Amino acid sequence: MTVLAPLALLALCASDAPAAENVPLLRAPAPAGIEWAQIPAANPARLRAVEDGSYDLLEDTQIDATGDFATTFRRQAIKVVDRQGLEGAAQSKISFDPAIQRLIVHRIALWRDGRMIDQTARAAIDLLRQENELDNGIITGERTALIRLEDVRVGDVVDVAWSWQDVAGAWPRNFFDTASLGWSVPTGLTRYRLSMPAGRPLVARSFEHAPAPSVRRVGNVVVREWRVMDPDPVTDATGSPKWWNPWARVSLSMMADWGTIDRWSQPFYSQDLRLPADFARRVDAIAAATPDLKRRTIAALRLVQDSIRYTSLSIGAGSFVPRAPAVTIRNGFGDCKDKTLLLVAVLRRLGVTAWPALTDSDQGQALDRILPAANAFDHVITLATIGGRNYWLDATMDHQGGQLDTLAPLPYGFALPIRRGQDRLVAITNPVPASPTMATTERYRLDASGMTLDVDTVYASDEADIERASLAKKGLARTELDKLDFYRNLYPGLVSSGSVGVADDREANRVIVHQRFMLPADADDYARTTRTLELAVGTIRDLFTRPGGPARAAPVAMTFSINRTHRMILDVADFRPSLSGLESSHGPGFDFDASSHHDGDKLVLDFALVAKAPFIDGKHAPAIARQIDTVQQNSDWLVDTVDRPATAEQRRDSLGFASLTAALGFLGGWLARSRRRPRARRVPGPWGTPAPR
């Protein structure tokens, strides 16, 4: 059982707030006014749907938002239904931020045979600091209270209750939250109760058939309560976007519109933007080098991206307050807020109009679907305006290439610029590239000495950024080995016949990677390997998750901004291999084209795939599934490369045989029989799959 503290604003981007060294942990009775609900019994009809050996009988949240800061009471009751559930039920994890919250444990108990065994006073509680994102440069300062119960048995009900008391924060007398009322596993009673002063406005929006609340007034306090008993479990659809949520829920916010959040944010970004003298001279050198604002902007972006490393100290109020640019420069590091504010300062010094802008790295494409709330964001980027055109810049990216007009579009969907009078979100356009962002050419040459394979891949736009970063991270030796492993799985005994060749034009944002492989004629199983040659279109075949089932409500997530081509050239000495029967697919998800032709005696196979949108309406799921099947079936082939008479069975199986009958009679059966490769074996490609755009 894992519980996360209710604080999410810009949790990936933080500042200099110090970590709390002495973290108090209290065991005390629940606050006055808490109602202890009766734990319901498990529904026998739901037992087949239970996962991990435990049944969630009670999910209870009671929030007192009558003061400057809220107190949140949480209680969970879990029944162990079989041996599988013992480990999970016997320990509870409660995460909290000690810089702004105080954790109080109210109950740690077992229910057995209708009797409560209270372990509140004696249960072991360890305070841990688990920095799960440390490898990504993110430090949150959160603590995890690990509660360990004694003597938990199958059939017991584990009953744990605690409170978070907010003692500081950025939003005194404000409130926003999401009440989860639906689940993917059987759940008994879910209750969400909110107490607020009668004079404070609250906007509520229901999703996925969430019930209406009961509302009552106690003195000057309005109490709203949502209750759901034994709801049907809802499973998320395969291949849905990260932002998709199929469960019943209610979003709550006191912030009436996005303008309220913008006005709240402005003081945090109205800091001293002066730059230290040395850094200012570097900026002034950019200004002296060119009067062109676009060139100045790209130079400023490179300066901040390349000279300030990314480190996020997400501790307490530091989750939303950026450092001043001078501090970021002095430290040599910063998070998204810090680097963005520095970039804004540099751009303004260069005469470019620029503002910070709030967005979300995972949920950004759905920001226009939710209630305005300060915790809707986890990332900050920069909006620069030149000649009336918007340019979106991400100062936290590294190895990014291109000029201002050719930068890869950012995938965040929507953003809220922090500027006076801003009262709505702004869309971040992200069109599908008109030309390929990855173009791979494989040249196979078979002769008496063996098989030579030359692989050239040209990367552009976001794929060039990704490849440039990958090369820097892995190095050339690892890159060479990854591709060798991929092709060696197809062609045992293959060796690399030279180091990886890389040509990188960062200004044009174009990376070319070349590698040559050799399969000697005396290699083990050479004849069998090359007699029926496997061809795998590794850059295209595994881009999408296949949506199963019929049409659905959930949209289908697509790998957006994909425009890839893959060419295979097969040159067999004294032989002309052929292949036909390739299928293309044009539909709601993407356009896929597959074709073949001859260039002299060489067989040329061409594949191309262009995606259409980041997500597609779920009603098209069956059509998209068929499209994905077509891609999979047409990206793995076996091609016979040996000159031999064709048998009657081979002729019946040979694709395109009828149209080549006359040629067969003349050439004495010089037709390579081609067939699709079985789909059972899948080899990961060395090219990788880009992040959804």
Side-chain angles (χ1 to χ4, degrees), residues 24-50:
L25 177 62
L26 303 178
R27 306 187 201 208
I34 291 298
E35 177 187 310
W36 291 84
Q38 182 176 350
I39 300 174
N43 181 350
R46 303 279 193 199
L47 291 176
R48 293 183 67 253
V50 167

PDB file of all heavy atoms in Angstrom, residues 24-50:
ATOM      1  N   PRO A  24       9.817  15.244  12.968  1.00  0.00           N
ATOM      2  CA  PRO A  24       8.986  14.710  14.035  1.00  0.00           C
ATOM      3  C   PRO A  24       7.937  13.753  13.482  1.00  0.00           C
ATOM      4  O   PRO A  24       7.380  13.971  12.407  1.00  0.00           O
ATOM      5  CB  PRO A  24       8.323  15.964  14.620  1.00  0.00           C
ATOM      6  CG  PRO A  24       8.271  16.919  13.478  1.00  0.00           C
ATOM      7  CD  PRO A  24       9.493  16.641  12.660  1.00  0.00           C
ATOM      8  N   LEU A  25       7.689  12.677  14.199  1.00  0.00           N
ATOM      9  CA  LEU A  25       6.651  11.728  13.826  1.00  0.00           C
ATOM     10  C   LEU A  25       5.821  11.452  15.076  1.00  0.00           C
ATOM     11  O   LEU A  25       6.347  10.970  16.087  1.00  0.00           O
ATOM     12  CB  LEU A  25       7.262  10.433  13.296  1.00  0.00           C
ATOM     13  CG  LEU A  25       6.264   9.326  12.947  1.00  0.00           C
ATOM     14  CD1 LEU A  25       5.326   9.781  11.838  1.00  0.00           C
ATOM     15  CD2 LEU A  25       6.994   8.057  12.518  1.00  0.00           C
ATOM     16  N   LEU A  26       4.547  11.770  15.012  1.00  0.00           N
ATOM     17  CA  LEU A  26       3.676  11.661  16.173  1.00  0.00           C
ATOM     18  C   LEU A  26       2.730  10.477  16.020  1.00  0.00           C
ATOM     19  O   LEU A  26       2.300  10.149  14.917  1.00  0.00           O
ATOM     20  CB  LEU A  26       2.870  12.942  16.358  1.00  0.00           C
ATOM     21  CG  LEU A  26       3.662  14.249  16.504  1.00  0.00           C
ATOM     22  CD1 LEU A  26       2.694  15.420  16.624  1.00  0.00           C
ATOM     23  CD2 LEU A  26       4.599  14.179  17.694  1.00  0.00           C
ATOM     24  N   ARG A  27       2.396   9.856  17.156  1.00  0.00           N
ATOM     25  CA  ARG A  27       1.303   8.894  17.229  1.00  0.00           C
ATOM     26  C   ARG A  27       0.293   9.504  18.185  1.00  0.00           C
ATOM     27  O   ARG A  27       0.582   9.702  19.367  1.00  0.00           O
ATOM     28  CB  ARG A  27       1.781   7.545  17.744  1.00  0.00           C
ATOM     29  CG  ARG A  27       2.965   6.977  16.960  1.00  0.00           C
ATOM     30  CD  ARG A  27       3.299   5.563  17.404  1.00  0.00           C
ATOM     31  NE  ARG A  27       4.669   5.209  17.039  1.00  0.00           N
ATOM     32  CZ  ARG A  27       5.099   3.976  16.799  1.00  0.00           C
ATOM     33  NH1 ARG A  27       4.270   2.972  16.878  1.00  0.00           N
ATOM     34  NH2 ARG A  27       6.358   3.753  16.491  1.00  0.00           N
ATOM     35  N   ALA A  28      -0.867   9.843  17.650  1.00  0.00           N
ATOM     36  CA  ALA A  28      -1.839  10.578  18.457  1.00  0.00           C
ATOM     37  C   ALA A  28      -3.240  10.282  17.945  1.00  0.00           C
ATOM     38  O   ALA A  28      -3.421   9.810  16.815  1.00  0.00           O
ATOM     39  CB  ALA A  28      -1.556  12.085  18.385  1.00  0.00           C
ATOM     40  N   PRO A  29      -4.275  10.564  18.779  1.00  0.00           N
ATOM     41  CA  PRO A  29      -5.653  10.366  18.332  1.00  0.00           C
ATOM     42  C   PRO A  29      -5.970  11.241  17.123  1.00  0.00           C
ATOM     43  O   PRO A  29      -5.310  12.256  16.865  1.00  0.00           O
ATOM     44  CB  PRO A  29      -6.487  10.777  19.551  1.00  0.00           C
ATOM     45  CG  PRO A  29      -5.565  10.620  20.708  1.00  0.00           C
ATOM     46  CD  PRO A  29      -4.199  10.965  20.193  1.00  0.00           C
ATOM     47  N   ALA A  30      -6.998  10.841  16.390  1.00  0.00           N
ATOM     48  CA  ALA A  30      -7.416  11.588  15.206  1.00  0.00           C
ATOM     49  C   ALA A  30      -7.978  12.943  15.599  1.00  0.00           C
ATOM     50  O   ALA A  30      -8.449  13.137  16.728  1.00  0.00           O
ATOM     51  CB  ALA A  30      -8.456  10.791  14.431  1.00  0.00           C
ATOM     52  N   PRO A  31      -7.930  13.920  14.688  1.00  0.00           N
ATOM     53  CA  PRO A  31      -8.488  15.243  14.989  1.00  0.00           C
ATOM     54  C   PRO A  31      -9.973  15.162  15.322  1.00  0.00           C
ATOM     55  O   PRO A  31     -10.682  14.234  14.911  1.00  0.00           O
ATOM     56  CB  PRO A  31      -8.255  16.019  13.684  1.00  0.00           C
ATOM     57  CG  PRO A  31      -7.185  15.277  12.969  1.00  0.00           C
ATOM     58  CD  PRO A  31      -7.336  13.848  13.348  1.00  0.00           C
ATOM     59  N   ALA A  32     -10.440  16.148  16.062  1.00  0.00           N
ATOM     60  CA  ALA A  32     -11.863  16.220  16.394  1.00  0.00           C
ATOM     61  C   ALA A  32     -12.680  16.331  15.117  1.00  0.00           C
ATOM     62  O   ALA A  32     -12.271  16.979  14.150  1.00  0.00           O
ATOM     63  CB  ALA A  32     -12.124  17.422  17.304  1.00  0.00           C
ATOM     64  N   GLY A  33     -13.819  15.688  15.113  1.00  0.00           N
ATOM     65  CA  GLY A  33     -14.701  15.753  13.953  1.00  0.00           C
ATOM     66  C   GLY A  33     -14.511  14.626  12.958  1.00  0.00           C
ATOM     67  O   GLY A  33     -15.301  14.512  12.010  1.00  0.00           O
ATOM     68  N   ILE A  34     -13.481  13.796  13.139  1.00  0.00           N
ATOM     69  CA  ILE A  34     -13.270  12.671  12.232  1.00  0.00           C
ATOM     70  C   ILE A  34     -14.310  11.597  12.520  1.00  0.00           C
ATOM     71  O   ILE A  34     -14.553  11.226  13.671  1.00  0.00           O
ATOM     72  CB  ILE A  34     -11.853  12.094  12.381  1.00  0.00           C
ATOM     73  CG1 ILE A  34     -10.816  13.092  11.852  1.00  0.00           C
ATOM     74  CG2 ILE A  34     -11.725  10.762  11.648  1.00  0.00           C
ATOM     75  CD1 ILE A  34     -10.956  13.415  10.386  1.00  0.00           C
ATOM     76  N   GLU A  35     -14.938  11.098  11.479  1.00  0.00           N
ATOM     77  CA  GLU A  35     -15.920  10.022  11.612  1.00  0.00           C
ATOM     78  C   GLU A  35     -15.270   8.702  11.207  1.00  0.00           C
ATOM     79  O   GLU A  35     -14.761   8.570  10.094  1.00  0.00           O
ATOM     80  CB  GLU A  35     -17.130  10.294  10.721  1.00  0.00           C
ATOM     81  CG  GLU A  35     -18.160   9.175  10.744  1.00  0.00           C
ATOM     82  CD  GLU A  35     -19.269   9.390   9.732  1.00  0.00           C
ATOM     83  OE1 GLU A  35     -19.834  10.508   9.713  1.00  0.00           O
ATOM     84  OE2 GLU A  35     -19.553   8.465   8.950  1.00  0.00           O
ATOM     85  N   TRP A  36     -15.279   7.748  12.112  1.00  0.00           N
ATOM     86  CA  TRP A  36     -14.689   6.443  11.837  1.00  0.00           C
ATOM     87  C   TRP A  36     -15.748   5.559  11.181  1.00  0.00           C
ATOM     88  O   TRP A  36     -16.696   5.125  11.814  1.00  0.00           O
ATOM     89  CB  TRP A  36     -14.166   5.800  13.114  1.00  0.00           C
ATOM     90  CG  TRP A  36     -12.965   6.515  13.662  1.00  0.00           C
ATOM     91  CD1 TRP A  36     -12.963   7.617  14.456  1.00  0.00           C
ATOM     92  CD2 TRP A  36     -11.602   6.193  13.407  1.00  0.00           C
ATOM     93  NE1 TRP A  36     -11.674   8.019  14.728  1.00  0.00           N
ATOM     94  CE2 TRP A  36     -10.812   7.155  14.105  1.00  0.00           C
ATOM     95  CE3 TRP A  36     -10.948   5.204  12.680  1.00  0.00           C
ATOM     96  CZ2 TRP A  36      -9.421   7.139  14.074  1.00  0.00           C
ATOM     97  CZ3 TRP A  36      -9.567   5.185  12.654  1.00  0.00           C
ATOM     98  CH2 TRP A  36      -8.815   6.150  13.343  1.00  0.00           C
ATOM     99  N   ALA A  37     -15.570   5.305   9.880  1.00  0.00           N
ATOM    100  CA  ALA A  37     -16.543   4.518   9.136  1.00  0.00           C
ATOM    101  C   ALA A  37     -16.431   3.042   9.493  1.00  0.00           C
ATOM    102  O   ALA A  37     -15.357   2.547   9.858  1.00  0.00           O
ATOM    103  CB  ALA A  37     -16.314   4.698   7.634  1.00  0.00           C
ATOM    104  N   GLN A  38     -17.553   2.342   9.384  1.00  0.00           N
ATOM    105  CA  GLN A  38     -17.532   0.897   9.566  1.00  0.00           C
ATOM    106  C   GLN A  38     -16.934   0.253   8.320  1.00  0.00           C
ATOM    107  O   GLN A  38     -17.301   0.576   7.197  1.00  0.00           O
ATOM    108  CB  GLN A  38     -18.945   0.364   9.803  1.00  0.00           C
ATOM    109  CG  GLN A  38     -18.988  -1.141  10.040  1.00  0.00           C
ATOM    110  CD  GLN A  38     -20.394  -1.639  10.368  1.00  0.00           C
ATOM    111  OE1 GLN A  38     -21.300  -0.832  10.602  1.00  0.00           O
ATOM    112  NE2 GLN A  38     -20.575  -2.945  10.383  1.00  0.00           N
ATOM    113  N   ILE A  39     -16.002  -0.665   8.550  1.00  0.00           N
ATOM    114  CA  ILE A  39     -15.354  -1.338   7.425  1.00  0.00           C
ATOM    115  C   ILE A  39     -16.331  -2.336   6.817  1.00  0.00           C
ATOM    116  O   ILE A  39     -16.842  -3.216   7.515  1.00  0.00           O
ATOM    117  CB  ILE A  39     -14.080  -2.062   7.884  1.00  0.00           C
ATOM    118  CG1 ILE A  39     -13.092  -1.064   8.490  1.00  0.00           C
ATOM    119  CG2 ILE A  39     -13.433  -2.798   6.705  1.00  0.00           C
ATOM    120  CD1 ILE A  39     -11.865  -1.707   9.096  1.00  0.00           C
ATOM    121  N   PRO A  40     -16.617  -2.216   5.517  1.00  0.00           N
ATOM    122  CA  PRO A  40     -17.562  -3.157   4.900  1.00  0.00           C
ATOM    123  C   PRO A  40     -16.930  -4.522   4.683  1.00  0.00           C
ATOM    124  O   PRO A  40     -15.703  -4.670   4.696  1.00  0.00           O
ATOM    125  CB  PRO A  40     -17.898  -2.481   3.570  1.00  0.00           C
ATOM    126  CG  PRO A  40     -16.682  -1.683   3.243  1.00  0.00           C
ATOM    127  CD  PRO A  40     -16.137  -1.196   4.561  1.00  0.00           C
ATOM    128  N   ALA A  41     -17.781  -5.516   4.491  1.00  0.00           N
ATOM    129  CA  ALA A  41     -17.295  -6.857   4.186  1.00  0.00           C
ATOM    130  C   ALA A  41     -16.936  -6.952   2.711  1.00  0.00           C
ATOM    131  O   ALA A  41     -17.414  -6.177   1.875  1.00  0.00           O
ATOM    132  CB  ALA A  41     -18.359  -7.894   4.540  1.00  0.00           C
ATOM    133  N   ALA A  42     -16.076  -7.904   2.396  1.00  0.00           N
ATOM    134  CA  ALA A  42     -15.720  -8.143   0.996  1.00  0.00           C
ATOM    135  C   ALA A  42     -16.909  -8.717   0.251  1.00  0.00           C
ATOM    136  O   ALA A  42     -17.714  -9.474   0.812  1.00  0.00           O
ATOM    137  CB  ALA A  42     -14.531  -9.098   0.920  1.00  0.00           C
ATOM    138  N   ASN A  43     -17.039  -8.347  -0.990  1.00  0.00           N
ATOM    139  CA  ASN A  43     -18.092  -8.887  -1.844  1.00  0.00           C
ATOM    140  C   ASN A  43     -17.595 -10.195  -2.450  1.00  0.00           C
ATOM    141  O   ASN A  43     -16.653 -10.198  -3.244  1.00  0.00           O
ATOM    142  CB  ASN A  43     -18.427  -7.882  -2.949  1.00  0.00           C
ATOM    143  CG  ASN A  43     -19.541  -8.356  -3.864  1.00  0.00           C
ATOM    144  OD1 ASN A  43     -19.964  -9.504  -3.813  1.00  0.00           O
ATOM    145  ND2 ASN A  43     -20.013  -7.461  -4.724  1.00  0.00           N
ATOM    146  N   PRO A  44     -18.196 -11.340  -2.086  1.00  0.00           N
ATOM    147  CA  PRO A  44     -17.698 -12.626  -2.612  1.00  0.00           C
ATOM    148  C   PRO A  44     -17.659 -12.678  -4.132  1.00  0.00           C
ATOM    149  O   PRO A  44     -16.806 -13.356  -4.712  1.00  0.00           O
ATOM    150  CB  PRO A  44     -18.699 -13.644  -2.043  1.00  0.00           C
ATOM    151  CG  PRO A  44     -19.284 -12.973  -0.837  1.00  0.00           C
ATOM    152  CD  PRO A  44     -19.337 -11.515  -1.175  1.00  0.00           C
ATOM    153  N   ALA A  45     -18.583 -11.953  -4.774  1.00  0.00           N
ATOM    154  CA  ALA A  45     -18.627 -11.983  -6.239  1.00  0.00           C
ATOM    155  C   ALA A  45     -17.427 -11.284  -6.862  1.00  0.00           C
ATOM    156  O   ALA A  45     -17.153 -11.461  -8.060  1.00  0.00           O
ATOM    157  CB  ALA A  45     -19.922 -11.343  -6.730  1.00  0.00           C
ATOM    158  N   ARG A  46     -16.704 -10.484  -6.067  1.00  0.00           N
ATOM    159  CA  ARG A  46     -15.555  -9.743  -6.602  1.00  0.00           C
ATOM    160  C   ARG A  46     -14.223 -10.468  -6.384  1.00  0.00           C
ATOM    161  O   ARG A  46     -13.185 -10.010  -6.863  1.00  0.00           O
ATOM    162  CB  ARG A  46     -15.451  -8.382  -5.921  1.00  0.00           C
ATOM    163  CG  ARG A  46     -16.671  -7.494  -6.018  1.00  0.00           C
ATOM    164  CD  ARG A  46     -16.727  -6.787  -7.331  1.00  0.00           C
ATOM    165  NE  ARG A  46     -17.705  -5.714  -7.327  1.00  0.00           N
ATOM    166  CZ  ARG A  46     -18.225  -5.176  -8.420  1.00  0.00           C
ATOM    167  NH1 ARG A  46     -17.844  -5.610  -9.616  1.00  0.00           N
ATOM    168  NH2 ARG A  46     -19.102  -4.192  -8.337  1.00  0.00           N
ATOM    169  N   LEU A  47     -14.216 -11.570  -5.666  1.00  0.00           N
ATOM    170  CA  LEU A  47     -12.949 -12.183  -5.277  1.00  0.00           C
ATOM    171  C   LEU A  47     -12.120 -12.615  -6.483  1.00  0.00           C
ATOM    172  O   LEU A  47     -10.884 -12.582  -6.427  1.00  0.00           O
ATOM    173  CB  LEU A  47     -13.213 -13.374  -4.355  1.00  0.00           C
ATOM    174  CG  LEU A  47     -13.748 -13.013  -2.958  1.00  0.00           C
ATOM    175  CD1 LEU A  47     -14.068 -14.277  -2.166  1.00  0.00           C
ATOM    176  CD2 LEU A  47     -12.731 -12.157  -2.209  1.00  0.00           C
ATOM    177  N   ARG A  48     -12.787 -13.010  -7.568  1.00  0.00           N
ATOM    178  CA  ARG A  48     -12.032 -13.440  -8.747  1.00  0.00           C
ATOM    179  C   ARG A  48     -11.243 -12.295  -9.362  1.00  0.00           C
ATOM    180  O   ARG A  48     -10.267 -12.509 -10.085  1.00  0.00           O
ATOM    181  CB  ARG A  48     -12.982 -14.021  -9.795  1.00  0.00           C
ATOM    182  CG  ARG A  48     -13.643 -15.312  -9.370  1.00  0.00           C
ATOM    183  CD  ARG A  48     -14.518 -15.891 -10.470  1.00  0.00           C
ATOM    184  NE  ARG A  48     -13.729 -16.323 -11.610  1.00  0.00           N
ATOM    185  CZ  ARG A  48     -13.686 -15.684 -12.784  1.00  0.00           C
ATOM    186  NH1 ARG A  48     -14.361 -14.567 -12.947  1.00  0.00           N
ATOM    187  NH2 ARG A  48     -12.961 -16.154 -13.783  1.00  0.00           N
ATOM    188  N   ALA A  49     -11.652 -11.043  -9.091  1.00  0.00           N
ATOM    189  CA  ALA A  49     -10.978  -9.880  -9.670  1.00  0.00           C
ATOM    190  C   ALA A  49      -9.895  -9.310  -8.768  1.00  0.00           C
ATOM    191  O   ALA A  49      -9.219  -8.349  -9.143  1.00  0.00           O
ATOM    192  CB  ALA A  49     -12.001  -8.794 -10.000  1.00  0.00           C
ATOM    193  N   VAL A  50      -9.706  -9.887  -7.581  1.00  0.00           N
ATOM    194  CA  VAL A  50      -8.701  -9.384  -6.647  1.00  0.00           C
ATOM    195  C   VAL A  50      -7.302  -9.635  -7.199  1.00  0.00           C
ATOM    196  O   VAL A  50      -7.021 -10.698  -7.766  1.00  0.00           O
ATOM    197  CB  VAL A  50      -8.871 -10.060  -5.271  1.00  0.00           C
ATOM    198  CG1 VAL A  50      -7.656  -9.802  -4.380  1.00  0.00           C
ATOM    199  CG2 VAL A  50     -10.125  -9.539  -4.583  1.00  0.00           C
TER     200      VAL A  50
END
